[in-house]
Amino acid sequence: MLSRLADVLVPAVGRLTVTADTDAPLAPGSIIVANHTSLADPAVVLAALRHLGAEPAVMAAAGLWRVPLLGRVLSREGHIPVHRRDRRAARCLDLAAAALGDGRMVLIYGEGGLPRRTDAAEAAPAAFRGGLARLAERTGAPVVPVGQAGARRITSGRTGKQIAGLVTAPLRRPALHVHVGAPITLTGDRAAVTAEARGAVTAAWLTAAGHLGEPAALAARRG
């Protein structure tokens, strides 16, 4: 239901396009890792993945399970609550590993949180936390890097600006792009694995942001 809902709502607030590397299969039991820039980008990524035939379990902030109705939907569909700085924090990796073992794809955000910037511009993915490396080490699952761009033009910044952005998005219909990269198998110590994953997601983000003509991506390519 969550992926279907995203597939309905995203076209109402923006113009989504999707590309993928030619050797980028979304195989059962894969870890999908995406850059996180906006409260809107989970919907954007889910809509793009559904377009490609994938409906992953999402690792998301546990607070969402306290939202009426939404929490029930998340639980029913097997999405995975992430408790940060909590004794239950390790439980999310157990649930993710079980989902992967059952052949389900799992979507994780390597950065583990949103940027603190208030502008709507794109920027390369921030440092990754260690959860992705631990999950890949534990399961040996292939990792599919995903880059998304444009979601900050739906919602970004302080609360008032986010609300205004969401309200006006159906009129503005900003361009959104998601690029799916080729899967990688992560090996090595956790620091190396984390750096490799971040590099792959950054490459996918460069493709997505470049597709939209974002200055940060164009500058990175020139550099």
Side-chain angles (χ1 to χ4, degrees):
M1 178 179 174
L2 202 61
S3 292
R4 291 196 302 274
L5 186 60
D7 199 25
V8 170
L9 292 178
V10 169
V13 297
R15 295 170 286 118
L16 175 63
T17 50
V18 184
T19 53
D21 289 349
T22 55
D23 53 349
L26 288 165
S30 296
I31 302 170
I32 300 170
V33 57
N35 62 309
H36 197 16
T37 63
S38 163
L39 290 173
D41 68 60
V44 172
V45 171
L46 285 177
L49 293 174
R50 190 165 194 265
H51 176 79
L52 298 174
E55 297 190 11
V58 182
M59 297 183 71
L64 294 174
W65 271 254
R66 295 194 292 270
V67 178
L69 297 179
L70 176 60
R72 275 186 248 170
V73 170
L74 293 170
S75 295
R76 186 175 66 244
E77 295 189 355
H79 299 290
I80 300 163
V82 178
H83 298 270
R84 295 192 181 92
R85 295 179 291 277
D86 185 292
R87 60 184 175 79
R88 296 167 291 177
R91 175 65 174 156
C92 67
L93 292 183
D94 295 336
L95 295 172
L100 292 166
D102 289 339
R104 189 160 188 197
M105 287 172 267
V106 171
L107 171 62
I108 183 172
Y109 286 94
E111 294 149 290
L114 292 170
R116 300 191 178 210
R117 297 182 293 112
T118 59
D119 61 287
E122 288 291 324
F128 277 18
R129 295 176 184 263
L132 170 63
R134 292 197 298 274
L135 184 60
E137 178 182 67
R138 178 171 171 176
T139 64
V143 173
V144 179
V146 170
Q148 61 77 28
R152 287 186 66 81
R153 300 197 180 278
I154 299 175
T155 58
S156 61
R158 301 187 188 281
T159 302
K161 186 184 173 201
Q162 294 212 34
I163 294 171
L166 190 59
V167 169
T168 61
L171 298 175
R172 296 182 289 110
R173 302 200 71 242
L176 314 165
H177 192 86
V178 173
H179 182 76
V180 179
I184 55 177
T185 300
L186 298 176
T187 57
D189 61 36
R190 288 180 183 171
V193 161
T194 299
E196 184 179 358
R198 183 187 177 198
V201 173
T202 299
W205 167 79
L206 279 169
T207 298
H211 189 92
L212 300 183
E214 286 284 345
L218 298 178
R221 286 178 172 174
R222 286 195 297 270

